[in-house]
Amino acid sequence: MSVLSSLKLVQAKRPTSMPQVQVRRNKLVGKIHHQLLLAQALREGRNYTPTRLRSIRDRHTGETKTLEMPMRVRQWWFVADSGSVVLQVKYGSKVIDISKGKNSIEIKDGNHLIEVLDAVKTATLNGELDVQIESAANTVKARFKK
């Protein structure tokens, strides 16, 4: 018996583009991942500064150089007057309404922040925030059409 005959062979076509809802989910999950790393770094008492590659053209020579530049990550949480930590999920610069009329998650202390961020990440991957992401994306998109 050959090795190939033991495998399940199928006819498949690779998709050429990803559905828009999946692109938006992936964008939000990437931002949540940065928030998780930021929270873990703050818990351990160190700085978190991710970097990205930027192409910069030299004015005099016209040569394009690729430099590694630090990327700014702003934290989505703050401490409320009651002493609890409040987390707001953002898509772009817009705060997402997680439930109708409620745009924040209250956490009793900073120790549970990473667990809540993991839960929000899982909810995003499961598609529970698709309607909210769509609404926020349309709001952000409308600002560019002026």
Side-chain angles (χ1 to χ4, degrees):
M1 185 169 163
S2 72
V3 175
L4 288 179
S5 63
S6 66
L7 301 175
K8 181 180 179 182
L9 302 176
V10 296
Q11 178 69 29
K13 181 181 176 189
R14 181 184 292 264
T16 57
S17 65
M18 197 180 313
Q20 192 65 31
V21 68
Q22 187 64 41
V23 171
R24 290 179 177 147
R25 274 187 211 155
N26 291 345
K27 178 181 175 183
L28 184 58
V29 166
K31 299 297 181 182
I32 293 171
H33 182 70
H34 282 297
Q35 293 298 315
L36 277 165
L37 294 175
L38 179 62
Q40 290 170 351
L42 288 175
R43 177 185 277 179
E44 296 168 3
R46 57 183 173 82
N47 289 332
Y48 173 66
T49 51
T51 58
R52 67 173 160 197
L53 297 176
R54 302 281 309 239
S55 295
I56 298 175
R57 183 180 302 263
D58 189 354
R59 292 179 193 232
H60 303 292
T61 63
E63 182 181 332
T64 303
K65 296 179 183 179
T66 303
L67 299 175
E68 197 170 290
M69 304 287 287
M71 189 170 72
R72 182 173 58 184
V73 178
R74 294 183 180 183
Q75 64 185 30
W76 290 352
W77 64 90
F78 59 92
V79 178
D81 295 336
S82 63
S84 62
V85 177
V86 178
L87 173 68
Q88 294 180 324
V89 180
K90 295 184 178 183
Y91 187 84
S93 62
K94 174 126 175 58
V95 176
I96 294 176
D97 279 345
I98 297 167
S99 179
K100 186 164 184 130
K102 299 187 180 183
N103 64 357
S104 302
I105 301 170
E106 185 176 19
I107 309 165
K108 65 179 176 180
D109 59 13
N111 296 330
H112 295 94
L113 177 63
I114 294 174
E115 297 167 13
V116 172
L117 282 168
D118 277 330
V120 171
K121 184 177 182 180
T122 304
T124 303
L125 288 172
N126 291 340
E128 296 177 32
L129 295 175
D130 285 348
V131 174
Q132 293 90 336
I133 294 171
E134 180 75 25
S135 173
N138 289 337
T139 303
V140 170
K141 194 187 312 182
R143 285 188 269 163
F144 285 103
K145 292 184 179 180
K146 288 183 178 178

